[in-house]
């Protein structure tokens, strides 16, 4: 089976740094994605890691350790508009050549307070 | 470039009815995946279509089905609706099956009463 865990809720202060963790146990691995979803809106792509290490993109960074089944999303200089749910998703191979599916965690609801 | 378009945005149906949801992917994208999102379960994979063929299927009953047309537009059908089918149904399109980067539509909010 597939299991992806992330905290349900987090609260952080405007201007601060927050780290959202994600651990996974999946039958196969072919990349880890982070999505942001504001209430009532579609998820939007934030980052993709397939190799170990840190990927930085502006105020957002994502880290992956495949041996530990662990990833985190780091948000710097938090802004009020960063209040949203953050979804961790693992791409796992499906039966059939070159076929994959995304398995999502239940999401972390981040509240940014003044 | 236009994004992923899902119609309708909102639906209210009665138990036992059936419903068809539509998804138009980004132009040039050939892979369309469908997900069900509920507060308790999060995003759960329903199925993926690529070049008019269903390639992947999640753990949902046979009441959930779909298809993809030659222009890559996809439809999802749910028959014999149950109260538990109330959810946000999202579709995501990507260039290929690898889901290198999937773009989501706004979703269809289905309420079963």
């Amino acid at each position: 089976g597939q299991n992806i865990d992330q905290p349900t809720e987090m609260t952080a202060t405007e201007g601060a740094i927050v780290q959202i963790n994600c651990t996974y146990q999946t039958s196969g691995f072919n990349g880890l994605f982070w999505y942001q979803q504001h209430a009532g809106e579609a998820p939007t792509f934030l980052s993709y890691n397939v190799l170990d290490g840190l990927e930085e993109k502006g105020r957002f960074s994502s880290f992956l350790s495949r041996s530990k089944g662990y990833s985190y999303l780091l948000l710097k200089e938090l802004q009020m508009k960063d209040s949203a749910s953050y979804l961790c998703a693992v791409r796992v191979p499906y039966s059939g050549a070159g076929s994959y599916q995304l398995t999502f965690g239940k999401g972390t609801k981040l509240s940014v307070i003044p | 470039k236009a994004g992923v378009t899902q119609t309708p945005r909102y639906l209210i149906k009665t138990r036992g009815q059936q419903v068809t949801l539509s998804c138009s992917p980004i132009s040039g994208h050939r892979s369309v995946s469908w997900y069900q999102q509920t507060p308790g379960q999060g995003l759960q994979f329903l199925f993926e279509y690529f070049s008019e063929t269903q390639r992947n299927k999640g753990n949902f009953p046979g009441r959930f089905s779909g298809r993809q047309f030659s222009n890559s537009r996809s439809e999802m059908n749910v028959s014999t609706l149950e109260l538990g089918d109330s959810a946000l149904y999202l579709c995501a399109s990507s260039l290929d099956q690898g889901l290198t980067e999937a773009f989501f539509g706004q979703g269809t909010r289905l309420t079963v009463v």
Side-chain angles (χ1 to χ4, degrees):
Chain A
Q2 324 290 6
N3 193 43
I4 300 176
D5 286 319
Q6 46 183 135
T8 305
E9 292 185 39
M10 297 183 72
T11 302
T13 306
E14 192 175 15
I17 299 173
V18 71
Q19 178 174 311
I20 303 174
N21 296 325
C22 171
T23 58
Y24 63 90
Q25 291 174 303
T26 56
S27 54
F29 176 88
N30 199 271
L32 187 142
F33 297 76
W34 284 95
Y35 282 84
Q36 179 192 61
Q37 186 177 26
H38 285 99
E41 296 184 12
T44 54
F45 170 81
L46 285 177
S47 70
Y48 167 66
N49 295 68
V50 66
L51 299 176
D52 291 351
L54 188 69
E55 294 282 340
E56 296 187 80
K57 191 187 288 187
R59 294 189 300 114
F60 295 77
S61 303
S62 57
F63 172 83
L64 174 67
S65 169
R66 289 171 297 170
S67 62
K68 295 182 179 177
Y70 169 70
S71 173
Y72 68 73
L73 180 69
L74 194 71
L75 292 76
K76 304 175 188 173
E77 301 168 15
L78 278 173
Q79 302 175 11
M80 299 299 290
K81 67 178 182 179
D82 296 329
S83 292
S85 286
Y86 292 85
L87 310 174
C88 171
V90 175
R91 184 168 69 188
V92 299
Y94 189 77
S95 59
S99 190
Y100 304 90
Q101 70 181 61
L102 278 178
T103 300
F104 283 83
K106 293 186 179 179
T108 298
K109 184 177 179 182
L110 174 67
S111 298
V112 180
I113 57 175
Chain B
K1 133 172 138 173
V4 180
T5 304
Q6 289 188 248
T7 56
R9 290 292 310 278
Y10 302 93
L11 264 179
I12 299 176
K13 289 285 188 178
T14 306
R15 266 184 309 175
Q17 286 187 310
Q18 72 147 18
V19 67
T20 299
L21 313 181
S22 178
C23 173
S24 293
I26 293 171
S27 177
H29 285 195
R30 297 165 65 192
S31 174
V32 174
S33 299
W34 288 89
Y35 295 84
Q36 181 194 68
Q37 187 174 34
T38 58
Q41 298 299 318
L43 266 161
Q44 292 187 288
F45 174 76
L46 280 156
F47 28 66
E48 182 205 3
Y49 287 86
F50 181 80
S51 292
E52 302 178 64
T53 302
Q54 185 184 90
R55 295 303 301 255
N56 302 340
K57 192 176 191 322
N59 295 324
F60 279 82
R63 300 184 297 107
F64 292 81
S65 63
R67 58 179 175 168
Q68 187 179 34
F69 301 95
S70 59
N71 62 358
S72 294
R73 189 177 72 86
S74 177
E75 288 183 347
M76 190 191 98
N77 186 76
V78 188
S79 62
T80 321
L81 283 165
E82 301 176 0
L83 295 178
D85 296 333
S86 295
L88 179 67
Y89 290 89
L90 292 160
C91 87
S93 83
S94 57
L95 270 173
D96 55 31
Q97 283 183 275
L99 293 175
T100 308
E101 183 175 341
F103 296 86
F104 283 84
Q106 294 287 86
T108 295
R109 173 74 64 185
L110 172 65
T111 302
V112 183
V113 296

